[in-house]
Amino acid sequence: MRVISQKRMNSAIMVAIFLAGFVVFHFIGRYFVPMLAYTRHEQPVDFSHVFHGNDVDMSCETCHFFYEDGSWSGIPTLDVCMNCHSEQLGESEAEKVFVTEYVQKNREVQWELYFRQPQCVSFSHSSHVKEAKLACETCHGPQGLSRHPTKYIVNRITKYSYVVYDSASSTIGSALVRSPEENVWGTMGMDECAKCHRARGVSTACFICHK
Amino acid sequence: MSSQTDMPTLQRCSAPKFLLWLSFWVLLLLWGAYGAFLCLYKGLNQTGMNNYFVFGVWITVDLAIIALGAGAFFSGFLFYVLRFNFLKELIGAAVVVGFICYSGAIGMLTIDIGQPLRGYFSFWHANVHSMLTEVIFCITLYLFVLTIEFVPLITENRRIREMPFLRHLGENLHGIMVVFALVGTFLSFFHQGSLGGMFGTLFARPFSYRTGVAIWPWTFFLFILSAIAAGPALTTLVVWATQKITRRRLVNRPTLSRLAKLSAILLVIYLVLKAADTIYWANFTAPEMGFRFTDFYKSPYGMWLLFGEFYLFGLVPAIILLIPRARDNDFWLVIGCLFTCMGIVLNRFSFTIQTLAVPVMPFEKFVVYSPTWQEWSIVAAVISYGVILFSLAYRYLHLFPREAELNG
Amino acid sequence: MKVDRRIFLKTLAFAGGGSLGFLSSPAPWHIVRDLARWTQNWPWVPVPPHGQPAYEKAICMMCDGGCGIKVRKVGPRMVRIDGDKDHPLNRGLICPHGTAALQTVYGPSRIRQPLKRTGTREKPDWKPVSWEQAIGEVAAKIQEIRAAGESHRIVCITNNCESTVNQLLERFLQAVGSKNLVRMNSGRDVRNVALKLMQGVDGDMAYDIENAKLIASFGCSLLEGWGTWGRLYRSYARTFADNPVQIIQVEPNLSITASKATQWVPIKPGTEGALALGIAHVLIRERLHDEDFVEKHCFGFEDWEDSSGKGHSGFKSHVLAQYAPQAVERITTVPAKEIEKLAFKFAENMPAVAVGGKGDGQLFTNVYELMAIHSLNALMGNINKTGGVFVKPEVPLTPLPPVVMDEEAARGYAVDRLDGAGSAAHPFSKSLPGNLKADEIRMLFVHDSNPYYAMPEQNTAHELFEKAPFIVALSCCMNESAARADLILPLNTGLEKWDDQIVAPDSPHPIYNLSRPLVEPLYDNKDAGGVLIEIAKTLGGTIAESFPWASMGEVLEMRVQGIHETGRGMIASPDAMAMLDRGLGPEGSLSQQYPSFASLWKKLLEDNCWFDPEPHHGPLQKALLTPSKKFEFYSQRLKDAFGFEEDAACMPHYEEASLNKDGFDLVIMAEDTLTMADDGKDTPPFLMKQLSDNVLKGNELFVRINPITALYHDLEEGDRVIVESPRGKVEVRLHLFEGVREGVVLIPLGFGHSAYDEFLRDKGVNANEVLEAKTDTITGLPIWWATPGKITKV
Amino acid sequence: MSTESPQQSVRYGMVIDLDKCTGCGNCAVACHMENNVPFRTDESDKSRNMAWLRIYKVKNGAEYPHARVAYIPRPCMQCDRHTPCVSVCPASATNYDKSTGLVDQINTRCIGCRYCMAACPYMVRCFNWWDPAWPADAEKYLNPDVAPRMRGVVEKCTFCSHRYIQAKNRARQEGRNYLEKGDYIPACVEACPVEAMHFGDLNDPEYEVAHLIKSPRAFRLLERLHTEPKVYYLSSHEWVRRWADNDAVNTQSAYSQQRQGVES
């Protein structure tokens, strides 16, 4: 009897060790690796969309607009900001930093772009906004309602924002985004693009999205 | 084998001697590793390939060793499925040779593609129309099969057999090996054929392009046939060489002869079909595309290639090995098998390099390709990888079941 | 033993579980995927940034053709150049050099700050210096020379373009006390001498090819860069139009122009003049010529008597006697029948122009050849006529104010030019850089030119750069001449600078191209004009007084006022082009459209080009300023200058080119290609990409010969050979081409640079090393297009 | 995979008039500027250099003075049927778009196996043997609309498909959802100084190309392969047409004889 139980004991220990190994490494793979693989950056300037949009009552098009040739301006360059901020407006710390560090030194702000696509992608804002009449929020989420810039979480290997690929993968997402404020809404992966294109019967030819 | 509980202890050379033997091949392997490093770090500009010769010596060697590795699946098929029991003596060795060939080929392919880190795209974004997709899938899957076939060999190791789980695993695998043999045969059949199809479907390349029945099933079967003819020849060569190097008898002499005879018969069938293919292609396919037969054979890719492939390394070894007295003589056996193997290398060379050398556009010229040392080093590395793995397998695994008995 | 095994098994279990656990987590797959994405985003592969799109017009400065271009900008970067459809010269067509110009602007051979040489001239080392120091050194050197009373030994070699910068250079030298602004020669200079001799005009010939029905080109590489490329290509395109123009190409070898012309007339090298006279013979014999024009406006056609009563034979009897088609056939190898046909073709397709000047304008021929060709235009009465030949009209710019000169300046300026141009020996030439002598020079400026590489008189050029005591290079890139300077004052390139072009080559319209900076200067460089102004200011005194402006932009603004004052012409724009296409003149005068100068200036800055669709050439008399006030088949000026006794010496005639020399059985001819800039300028890498591998392979240059020549010399395709001439030898490889005339070795120009960047340096050999420059006794210009040679296998 | 018979409404194609072409190279230079094609110190190695549009020079082989040359600019043929490169790509990195007829690709998906290059009869595809590198500040002129490729991938002419996207963007900006004639033109066609190159929808009679391809002068390269290239050539010279290998019967004899007559 004792011999048998000793054997069973041994087997049980073996199984336990096996399971322990499984759990530990699964956990490492699921939570620890994403934390290692991604790094978080602060935006250089504490920008508030709400302030500009609601309190100053600017329209979105003041900063984000189409150029004459139908290409998209994206994040405004310093000269757009300088239309108002050529001198310090208000007393906030962010404004002080912005004016002294960037406006006065005539230095472009190196914004981290959550939605920056890989360089092989040519995304046409025009086709999505003007032709398909998609709202900005469809892809970008309620960015316009942010009071502070969200942390920028970037993959160390690929140098892409996690939004571009990984927000669709809930496990990685939950390992990365620690609080709701850190979450950048939306996803920009190719699979998402393709899904929507197929659903709407839009061309999925390579050159439609790739350059 | 599964019934044997106690393996005899086999006599092996001393450790220093073995290490000395290994060290030569390891050096060669390291040279190849350096070449591979250069190709991966600096890019494929390190090779002699160019926009005309997009495939070089690596693909030639790939095709050749995959063809030669066919010995594994074919022997497996004959042994497990058709119950050719005489093959029991060397089925283990055949599996190891097959494993070496396939893993070596995949290793070489990884360096050959421009973006190895993206290599998995061919699975992830597979294009079902591409012959290459089929080849990649089948080769990879077949490598899995070979790995599984390899496992029982490992579990027969004396030390490993001490562990009950692994022993059981090995024994059970053995029981179902017939399934894997069948799967392997199926997969091999496909990709050996597809490798031919890879070039046969290139309608821009009049040298290898075949139409209609000439491509399917003709080219497919030509490739399969040539592979299963050459595979056993390589197995024979390897066994013979191992016997020579270890100075031990490993298999019954008649076994080798029977294997060689098999090879020769298949070779003859292949040659007949190949001749038919060539004649049809030279007289119908090529002229339809505005080419004369001689347009394809320009210096240095001259007519000697066809001669070598067909006569010297085709008919000659076939005849040698068909004569019982010749194949029972070690010298002629080796010559016959060696020529068979060289024939297939030459055939695969023509299919890759010469195919690309023939200009497609009328205002292009014949071009010549010569590989760089980096390319050769990796070829050498694959060969030394094979030697090392086979040496280790021979030393530590029980590759030849009758070894103890024959040297008893 | 037992414990060991346990531990081993436990470790194995843990490792097995761990591997399975890890593999079942997303991590390994994500790592594999991320590595693949890393390859798609390699940090060393550049990502061109987006930005605000803009298109701005500009002038192409890759050559002096003066084509209008349109530059695409993305934010602060220039990313593309296309032709400007609204420019009257090229109407949207530009050559590959223009298309690739950004490779030069952003190229590796640009100089980024003033440099002072520390090493030797052969092996220079460069030390960056500040602009203050560089200009200070130049000024100090000039002061020193002036103090020594040797200001007339200050020489400046510049390009052959008509521009305000060149006028400022001339002005600067005058203010300092020197006459020696020496322009690099071009084939145009020979044409100018022919014009001076036959029409008495100091100026340029202008061909109205837009309206001609036939263009008879005597060896001009019309499609390889002759004149304004865009303009010539428009003419070529007209050969396919419904009402086509015919291009007759007379040339020994099958050049691109020859292969694309309506008709190619293969001819023995150097006998083009004889063929022109042969055609003249048929025209006169058959009375196909414009008898009215010849009678009224020509001198020396019929036999005549001079004031002393001495009889002279006229052009008519000269040509009828000497240049019968059979005789010409013997000279040129062109069949007599063909000559007759050509003459009829020429006469039947009026208006037709005969144009001369070999190569793309960098090759130099004998002046009599050009006179012979030009006499065809006069015979047909095509002087000052639509579709014929004009004298290039002037652009009504405000002249620069008079130079203020101090005592030393006045003294130095009174001394004759060092190159002998305009002297009794060479009365008709403006500049003769080949006559410069290093030991007469105290200081040498080299502005925007590359004499060390490009001058036909290579011995002179090399001596200049070896021995001239102080060389200052004003250059935007490190060319061979700049590389041998003592001090480099780096210039902005065409798209970053203020500049202008006053004369577009060969166009009968006055055209003014204004070039303004499109982007901030990339480096610590300046405009040539700005540099001169700064040096003048540093020198002070009357020199500073002569340069009262603050910047080059200011100078140009001042000059353009002259255009505004005349009120003529129009600014190049879509509307202007539309009107031009409909054959309309400007709607109202310029001053009605732009009442204030500011409005005109603003528009000119946008559109870069002013031109006059009605050239206002005035009466024929204005184009005939010879002593006889007529077109002179017999040049009295030539007689006066050289006192030739023989009548033929003052008339167009054929002089055999001495291309035979003992021991040299072949003729080496220079080949102008479009791909290579042959005037010593930079050739962008994308043009090198276009070169066939039987022009350049590795660093080896190929010369081309006929397979029959090869057969005689026992040579084969690809052979390495030595091409040798009395001047020198080069090692090249052979390419056999049936389009090359038997006995000719064609060597392409523009290779063999020793400076510039790795994309151009050490590629092939410089054809100048074998081509011999002879001197034309009349013009003093080199005769430089062919030389006796031989070829031997290595 | 390509369709058996092209049914799509738009088929962008090109017609190149070889009678007009002078081989000036402006198309190629414009193409390479537009598409961020890299360059190297030694561009004379034509077997390894990068050229989306190559200009071949052919001769009639006759003796002086009857020798003549012709230039054949060769962009991607954009094969319409049995598109050789598309069917062979194992990673689906290249694709035939039915809506425009363009053969396009995703360079970042290419694994660099080069099978497509072996398959392409026209030597259109180039492999990035090296990492592209631009000297000094030359990176500054790169076109943001085309991503520079990395080493180890195959690339080819795209008929400037990015210009198609731009044209669409521009049209939308002007309130149109369709393209007008001339909105979308590849860089090479735009740059051709003699209008030897024409571009447009081969199915739309409004475009000149739709008529030109029916000209008796029209032919295509290697027609016998039945890849149905959408790049047509025009020439009035029989010997030029023969160079294109247009006619299998006549070519047979001419083929070998004329092998020598090639310039590049």
Side-chain angles (χ1 to χ4, degrees), chain C residues 70-105:
Chain C
K70 199 177 68 186
V71 181
R72 179 186 171 205
K73 286 174 71 182
V74 173
R77 307 186 294 124
M78 301 180 285
V79 302
R80 183 171 180 81
I81 292 179
D82 284 300
D84 175 9
K85 293 199 164 55
D86 307 325
H87 195 281
L89 262 184
N90 60 310
R91 301 293 288 268
L93 313 187
I94 52 166
C95 76
H97 286 267
T99 307
L102 292 177
Q103 291 197 314
T104 307
V105 176

Side-chain angles (χ1 to χ4, degrees), chain C residues 277-579:
Chain C
L277 293 171
I279 292 173
H281 174 101
V282 181
L283 291 176
I284 297 169
R285 191 190 68 204
E286 301 293 328
R287 302 182 69 169
L288 294 166
H289 63 286
D290 185 340
E291 289 177 271
D292 185 48
F293 179 87
V294 168
E295 191 180 323
K296 277 192 191 142
H297 303 292
C298 292
F299 171 79
F301 183 72
E302 303 286 349
D303 296 346
W304 56 287
E305 273 180 24
D306 61 17
S307 49
S308 62
K310 185 181 166 201
H312 295 269
S313 71
F315 182 70
K316 181 177 169 185
S317 41
H318 168 66
V319 164
L320 287 179
Q322 310 246 349
Y323 297 100
Q326 280 73 16
V328 173
E329 177 178 345
R330 281 193 293 279
I331 301 171
T332 61
T333 71
V334 179
K337 246 187 208 155
E338 191 57 49
I339 298 170
E340 305 257 354
K341 269 195 224 162
L342 281 172
F344 277 95
K345 215 176 203 176
F346 192 72
E348 281 161 11
N349 287 288
M350 278 294 128
V353 283
V355 296
K358 289 191 172 71
D360 71 2
Q362 303 302 324
L363 304 183
F364 300 85
T365 42
N366 169 327
V367 70
Y368 289 120
E369 180 182 314
L370 286 163
M371 286 169 74
I373 294 162
H374 193 41
S375 63
L376 288 180
N377 293 317
L379 272 181
M380 298 314 297
N382 273 349
I383 308 293
N384 252 35
K385 248 188 211 163
T386 304
V389 185
F390 291 93
V391 174
K392 178 94 200 168
E394 281 189 9
V395 175
L397 294 174
T398 308
L400 296 170
V403 185
V404 193
M405 290 195 275
D406 59 12
E407 205 179 315
E408 168 61 15
R411 185 207 61 75
Y413 194 69
V415 180
D416 283 342
R417 286 173 68 96
L418 296 181
D419 64 353
S423 68
H426 307 295
F428 306 116
S429 296
K430 301 272 169 52
S431 278
L432 295 170
N435 287 353
L436 287 173
K437 287 179 194 68
D439 48 12
E440 290 177 359
I441 295 173
R442 290 289 163 272
M443 184 176 191
L444 176 65
F445 286 90
V446 181
H447 165 249
D448 190 36
S449 55
N450 190 3
Y452 185 88
Y453 174 87
M455 252 168 69
E457 303 89 346
Q458 283 279 290
N459 292 336
T460 312
H462 290 195
E463 202 184 297
L464 276 183
F465 281 86
E466 267 162 39
K467 294 191 182 153
F470 193 69
I471 303 175
V472 181
L474 290 96
S475 175
C476 43
C477 54
M478 191 57 98
N479 58 28
E480 282 82 359
S481 304
R484 282 165 181 83
D486 298 281
L487 192 64
I488 303 179
L489 306 179
L491 300 183
N492 292 325
T493 56
L495 299 169
E496 312 159 89
K497 70 177 175 186
W498 286 101
D499 202 350
D500 64 0
Q501 287 173 337
I502 303 176
V503 172
D506 321 315
S507 168
H509 296 280
I511 292 179
Y512 180 69
N513 280 335
L514 178 72
S515 173
R516 78 197 144 93
L518 259 64
V519 288
E520 293 281 308
L522 291 174
Y523 309 115
D524 187 13
N525 297 356
K526 291 180 192 291
D527 303 336
V531 173
L532 285 181
I533 292 169
E534 278 187 46
I535 299 176
K537 293 241 181 326
T538 312
L539 284 165
T542 51
I543 303 173
E545 272 175 54
S546 299
F547 284 80
W549 310 280
S551 69
M552 185 66 189
E554 203 177 285
V555 180
L556 295 175
E557 195 173 344
M558 181 275 285
R559 300 213 69 190
V560 169
Q561 274 166 0
I563 292 178
H564 188 249
E565 280 156 22
T566 61
R568 285 199 339 240
M570 59 216 287
I571 304 286
S573 66
D575 293 343
M577 291 309 117
M579 280 195 284

Side-chain angles (χ1 to χ4, degrees), chain C residues 40 252 523 689 694 698 735, chain D residues 26 44 46 50 64 108 137 263:
Chain C
Q40 299 169 340
Y523 309 115
K689 213 191 235 314
N694 47 40
H735 174 55
Chain D
N26 206 21
S44 71
K46 303 296 173 194
M50 192 68 74
Y64 186 93
T108 43
D137 287 324
E263 278 273 302

Side-chain angles (χ1 to χ4, degrees), chain B residues 127-144:
Chain B
N127 171 14
V128 291
H129 301 288
S130 173
M131 285 286 172
L132 190 56
T133 308
E134 201 171 310
V135 170
I136 292 172
F137 267 80
C138 290
I139 292 182
T140 319
L141 288 176
Y142 185 52
L143 184 63
F144 275 114

Side-chain angles (χ1 to χ4, degrees), chain D residues 60-72:
Chain D
N60 64 352
E63 287 186 2
Y64 186 93
H66 306 291
R68 290 294 179 276
V69 293
Y71 299 89
I72 306 182

Side-chain angles (χ1 to χ4, degrees), chain C residues 40 44 72 77 80 94 99 103 233 236 252 260 523 686 689 691 694 696 698 735 738 741 758 763, chain D residues 18 20-22 26 30 34 37-38 41 43-44 46 50 62 64 108 131 137 140-142 145 263:
Chain C
Q40 299 169 340
W44 56 86
R72 179 186 171 205
R77 307 186 294 124
R80 183 171 180 81
I94 52 166
T99 307
Q103 291 197 314
Y233 262 66
Y236 165 63
K260 289 291 159 186
Y523 309 115
F686 274 167
K689 213 191 235 314
L691 291 170
N694 47 40
L696 185 74
H735 174 55
E738 294 82 358
R741 199 176 170 87
E758 52 178 329
K763 304 273 180 206
Chain D
L18 303 184
K20 286 184 182 174
C21 176
T22 66
N26 206 21
E34 177 79 12
V37 172
T41 316
E43 280 290 341
S44 71
K46 303 296 173 194
M50 192 68 74
Y64 186 93
T108 43
D131 265 311
D137 287 324
K140 284 191 179 151
Y141 76 69
L142 295 184
D145 302 320
E263 278 273 302

Side-chain angles (χ1 to χ4, degrees), chain B residues 168-317:
Chain B
H168 286 303
L169 179 74
E171 282 166 7
N172 285 327
L173 274 176
H174 235 299
I176 54 166
M177 207 43 86
V178 62
V179 178
F180 289 108
L182 269 174
V183 171
T185 307
F186 176 75
L187 290 172
S188 278
F189 224 72
F190 256 95
H191 75 245
Q192 293 287 1
S194 311
L195 279 173
M198 240 185 98
F199 292 91
T201 54
L202 293 182
F203 58 85
R205 299 288 175 182
F207 181 73
S208 54
Y209 180 52
R210 299 292 187 274
T211 47
V213 73
I215 179 159
W216 170 258
W218 211 273
T219 314
F220 272 67
F221 280 102
L222 281 181
F223 257 66
I224 296 166
L225 257 178
S226 57
I228 58 180
L234 181 74
T235 314
T236 314
L237 271 184
V238 169
V239 173
W240 176 81
T242 317
Q243 295 196 119
K244 277 285 157 217
I245 291 165
T246 60
R247 296 202 204 94
R248 289 170 70 84
R249 294 190 58 202
L250 303 173
V251 294
N252 255 342
R253 184 58 180 76
T255 306
L256 290 184
S257 291
R258 289 174 77 178
L259 205 59
K261 183 180 156 195
L262 191 73
S263 186
I265 294 168
L266 290 165
L267 191 60
V268 169
I269 303 174
Y270 163 73
L271 286 173
V272 171
L273 295 177
K274 170 83 181 165
D277 172 74
T278 307
I279 290 166
Y280 183 82
W281 163 73
N283 290 306
F284 297 96
T285 320
E288 264 168 35
M289 300 200 296
F291 286 91
R292 281 176 311 190
F293 182 56
T294 46
D295 286 339
F296 298 116
Y297 296 94
K298 294 268 167 68
S299 148
Y301 307 99
M303 207 56 99
W304 63 271
L305 271 169
L306 188 68
F307 174 80
E309 186 191 331
F310 208 83
Y311 294 97
L312 188 56
F313 299 120
L315 272 179
V316 170

